[in-house]
Amino acid sequence: MNDTLNRLADLLEQRKSADPQSSYVAKLYAKGMDSILKKVGEEATETILAAKNNDKQHLIYETADLWFHTLVMLAQAGLKPQDVMDELARREGLSGIAEKASRLDKSEEQ
């Protein structure tokens, strides 16, 4: 799975220099983060509705759209899928309650 994410991330990075008239992703980049975030929100809503309706095939399709647009968002922010994978690895084996509490403790220190 990581290979697919990395290949897609590389392609998305290349699209930053593509002509917005010939590339959907380049057009999103040209419109800026607000447009990208709007797409992430739309895809999240569609994913939730597919899950609510228990439509597994539609859920797969919408989750793929959500992940795709999330990768575009990360690329626009200068991040890679590996950054998220590293964070997930850091959390592995931790209680979700303890992990969340540790983030709250760190924010109070700042």
Side-chain angles (χ1 to χ4, degrees), residues 64-104:
D65 281 353
L66 176 59
W67 286 14
F68 176 84
H69 287 90
T70 299
L71 290 171
V72 172
M73 175 190 67
L74 289 171
Q76 181 75 353
L79 298 169
K80 297 196 174 292
Q82 190 60 50
D83 298 318
V84 178
M85 299 304 288
D86 291 346
E87 176 59 17
L88 289 172
R90 183 191 71 78
R91 295 180 187 189
E92 189 174 5
L94 295 176
S95 154
I97 294 169
E99 193 284 324
K100 186 173 182 178
S102 75
R103 283 187 281 144
L104 292 173

Side-chain angles (χ1 to χ4, degrees), residues 9-109:
D10 289 343
L11 180 63
L12 294 175
E13 195 63 34
Q14 292 170 14
R15 292 292 192 259
K16 287 182 176 180
S17 60
D19 177 8
Q21 298 302 317
S22 65
S23 166
Y24 169 74
V25 174
K27 187 180 289 189
L28 279 176
Y29 287 139
K31 289 181 177 180
M33 187 62 97
D34 285 351
S35 288
I36 295 167
L37 295 175
K38 182 178 177 189
K39 280 305 293 182
V40 171
E42 289 171 7
E43 298 303 340
T45 299
E46 291 170 3
T47 301
I48 291 165
L49 292 174
K52 181 185 101 29
N53 293 332
N54 199 29
D55 184 339
K56 290 183 177 161
Q57 192 56 47
H58 197 90
L59 180 56
I60 291 168
Y61 179 85
E62 293 301 343
T63 301
D65 281 353
L66 176 59
W67 286 14
F68 176 84
H69 287 90
T70 299
L71 290 171
V72 172
M73 175 190 67
L74 289 171
Q76 181 75 353
L79 298 169
K80 297 196 174 292
Q82 190 60 50
D83 298 318
V84 178
M85 299 304 288
D86 291 346
E87 176 59 17
L88 289 172
R90 183 191 71 78
R91 295 180 187 189
E92 189 174 5
L94 295 176
S95 154
I97 294 169
E99 193 284 324
K100 186 173 182 178
S102 75
R103 283 187 281 144
L104 292 173
D105 291 343
K106 288 178 185 175
S107 68
E108 289 174 3
E109 292 172 7

